Amino acid sequence: MHVEEKLTAETFPAEPEKATLEGKNKFLGFWFFLGGETVLFASLFATYLALKDSVAGGPSAKELFQMPIVFLATMLLLTSSLTSVYAMHHMRNFDFKKMQLWLGITVLLGAGFLALEIYEFTEYVHEGFKFSTSAFSSAFYTLVGTHGGHVAFGLLWIITLMVRNAKRGLNLYNAPKFYVASLYWHFIDVVWVFIFTVVYLMGMVG
Amino acid sequence: MANHTHVQNPKVDVQYRRKKNAEEMKHQIISFTLMIFLTLIAFFAVGYEGFSAWFAVPFILLLAVVQVIFQLYYFMHMSHKGHELPALFLYGGVVVAFVTVWAFLTIVWI
């Protein structure tokens, strides 16, 4: 079986992401990578939790965090997770155009989230909460910034896939690529669920 | 493609698969609705003055864990067959994550 074969809705396999050996390997390798990402974020969360009260005279979590912006960011990212589910749904139905459309919506929502985060960080800096202000500020910017970096990378990744395959259409060569990118996007959302709970909501509780 | 081109009437197969996909999408929307609902409860629990931190913190942590289970098992398809190794990798990471957080919280006292 060669991966660039032109397929139809009838010949397209039910699980296109795992129909080739390369796809199977990508799938396993990517989950292994996600296990490593879990450990990476665990070390950042652990650092944050250990240092969150060391404010060194600078602003504290309770003084800084505003519920509306965090809520809006959460809703944007959660919704973008659902829209990428829609994209994979259309991929399995061999509907390339609809998949691209939903991936595009995912990218827009993700970009909205990133814009909110950049706005939030610049506001904090104006309030005198810089990276080197305190152990709390360093731990906060490193944890939330690493997540934001993942969002930015995910956006570039999905956009690249969309552009590169725009004329190719769906086949068994690129289906695993789209699938793995969507797994990455969901994982970013998983990390955000813990960030909005552990960093923002627990910070506001005090 | 041997498995699929040999189906006698591929159109029937396609219709069956589309129906299955549509059904799965329904489950996805249900889990999304639940996730949004859990998020709203978490924000409300923190915004509402009546709850003490002793109640609110463990409560929102529990909501986060439930929400992540939905995300992993539905959105990331871990409930499907063939996810034994992914589960091993992920739970391996989760174990290290717990130990790391625990170690940092007990070892750092500044």
Side-chain angles (χ1 to χ4, degrees), chain A residues 1 5 7 9-15 18 27-28 31-32 34-35 38-39 42-43 46-47 49-51 54 67 70-71 74-75 78-79 81-82 85-86 89 92-93 172 179 183 186-187 189-190 193-194 196-198 201-202 204-205, chain B residues 1 4-5 10-11 13-14 17-18 21-22 24-25 28-29 32 35-36 39-40 42-43 46-47 53 56-57 60-61 64-65 67-68 71-72 75-78 80-83 85-86 89-90 93-94 96-97 100-101 104-105 108 110:
Chain A
M1 162 174 36
E5 190 178 310
L7 296 168
E10 281 81 24
T11 57
F12 201 58
E15 287 189 331
K18 283 189 274 184
F27 170 81
L28 268 190
W31 272 100
F32 188 62
L34 288 184
T38 309
V39 175
S43 69
T47 313
L49 283 168
L51 300 174
S54 310
M67 199 178 268
V70 183
F71 182 73
T74 304
M75 286 300 140
L78 264 181
T79 311
S81 208
L82 178 76
V85 167
Y86 264 107
H89 169 68
R92 288 190 168 179
N93 281 345
L172 296 183
Y179 185 82
L183 278 184
H186 293 310
F187 184 78
D189 208 54
V190 165
V193 170
F194 283 113
F196 88 68
T197 304
V198 172
L201 290 183
M202 275 168 62
M204 282 186 264
V205 169
Chain B
M1 295 324 312
H4 293 278
T5 42
K11 289 246 188 250
D13 190 37
V14 167
R17 272 165 42 197
R18 296 237 154 153
N21 282 349
E24 203 199 318
M25 202 55 226
Q28 302 281 30
I29 291 168
F32 174 72
M35 280 154 62
I36 292 283
T39 307
L40 288 175
F43 274 86
V46 171
V57 170
I60 59 174
L61 281 174
V65 170
Q67 183 171 163
V68 161
Q71 186 87 231
L72 288 169
F75 281 15
M76 293 169 85
H77 311 294
M78 261 176 72
H80 288 192
K81 269 187 222 156
H83 280 75
L85 278 174
F89 296 151
L90 187 84
V94 168
V96 178
T100 311
V101 172
F104 274 48
L105 284 180
V108 178
I110 44 168

Side-chain angles (χ1 to χ4, degrees), chain B residues 2-100:
Chain B
N3 294 337
H4 293 278
T5 42
H6 287 205
V7 173
Q8 282 178 334
N9 187 350
K11 289 246 188 250
V12 175
D13 190 37
V14 167
Q15 276 169 0
Y16 169 71
R17 272 165 42 197
R18 296 237 154 153
K19 211 177 137 197
K20 265 189 89 175
N21 282 349
E23 238 165 63
E24 203 199 318
M25 202 55 226
K26 227 184 267 169
H27 292 289
Q28 302 281 30
I29 291 168
I30 294 168
S31 42
F32 174 72
T33 315
L34 283 170
M35 280 154 62
I36 292 283
F37 184 62
L38 294 175
T39 307
L40 288 175
I41 296 176
F43 274 86
F44 178 77
V46 171
Y48 180 62
E49 303 286 323
F51 296 140
S52 71
W54 284 105
F55 170 75
V57 170
F59 180 62
I60 59 174
L61 281 174
L62 179 73
L63 293 181
V65 170
V66 174
Q67 183 171 163
V68 161
I69 288 171
F70 273 110
Q71 186 87 231
L72 288 169
Y73 279 85
Y74 290 94
F75 281 15
M76 293 169 85
H77 311 294
M78 261 176 72
S79 59
H80 288 192
K81 269 187 222 156
H83 280 75
E84 295 79 14
L85 278 174
L88 177 71
F89 296 151
L90 187 84
Y91 286 118
V94 168
V95 169
V96 178
F98 264 107
V99 175
T100 311

Side-chain angles (χ1 to χ4, degrees), chain A:
Chain A
M1 162 174 36
H2 76 109
V3 290
E4 302 246 30
E5 190 178 310
K6 288 268 176 250
L7 296 168
T8 64
E10 281 81 24
T11 57
F12 201 58
E15 287 189 331
E17 70 275 6
K18 283 189 274 184
T20 62
L21 180 62
E22 190 183 332
K24 283 187 187 113
N25 288 341
K26 275 209 172 89
F27 170 81
L28 268 190
F30 196 77
W31 272 100
F32 188 62
F33 165 74
L34 288 184
E37 288 272 277
T38 309
V39 175
L40 163 76
F41 277 102
S43 69
L44 298 178
F45 270 107
T47 313
Y48 176 82
L49 283 168
L51 300 174
K52 68 183 167 60
D53 299 318
S54 310
V55 294
S60 70
K62 211 167 186 173
E63 290 158 9
L64 276 174
F65 299 154
Q66 303 289 326
M67 199 178 268
I69 191 164
V70 183
F71 182 73
L72 188 59
T74 304
M75 286 300 140
L76 284 178
L77 209 61
L78 264 181
T79 311
S80 83
S81 208
L82 178 76
T83 56
S84 78
V85 167
Y86 264 107
M88 288 309 104
H89 169 68
H90 290 301
M91 182 186 88
R92 288 190 168 179
N93 281 345
F94 199 64
D95 195 334
F96 181 67
K97 274 193 181 149
K98 277 191 183 154
M99 181 191 78
Q100 290 276 72
L101 173 71
W102 284 103
L103 284 178
I105 297 170
T106 306
V107 166
L108 286 180
L109 290 166
F113 172 87
L114 205 58
L116 272 182
E117 186 155 285
I118 292 166
Y119 166 77
E120 184 200 351
F121 281 11
T122 48
E123 283 293 299
Y124 290 166
V125 170
H126 284 310
E127 288 172 39
F129 186 69
K130 299 192 173 86
F131 189 85
S132 54
T133 301
S134 59
F136 162 57
S137 77
S138 309
F140 168 81
Y141 282 124
T142 310
L143 170 59
V144 183
T146 304
H147 175 267
H150 277 71
V151 174
F153 182 79
L155 288 177
L156 289 177
W157 186 0
I158 296 175
I159 292 168
T160 311
L161 281 181
M162 287 172 69
V163 173
R164 284 262 298 147
N165 295 294
K167 286 185 183 153
R168 186 184 274 130
L170 257 181
N171 56 29
L172 296 183
Y173 164 70
N174 55 28
K177 291 170 187 268
F178 283 112
Y179 185 82
V180 155
S182 91
L183 278 184
Y184 183 77
W185 195 256
H186 293 310
F187 184 78
I188 289 173
D189 208 54
V190 165
V191 175
W192 180 255
V193 170
F194 283 113
I195 290 184
F196 88 68
T197 304
V198 172
V199 176
Y200 291 99
L201 290 183
M202 275 168 62
M204 282 186 264
V205 169

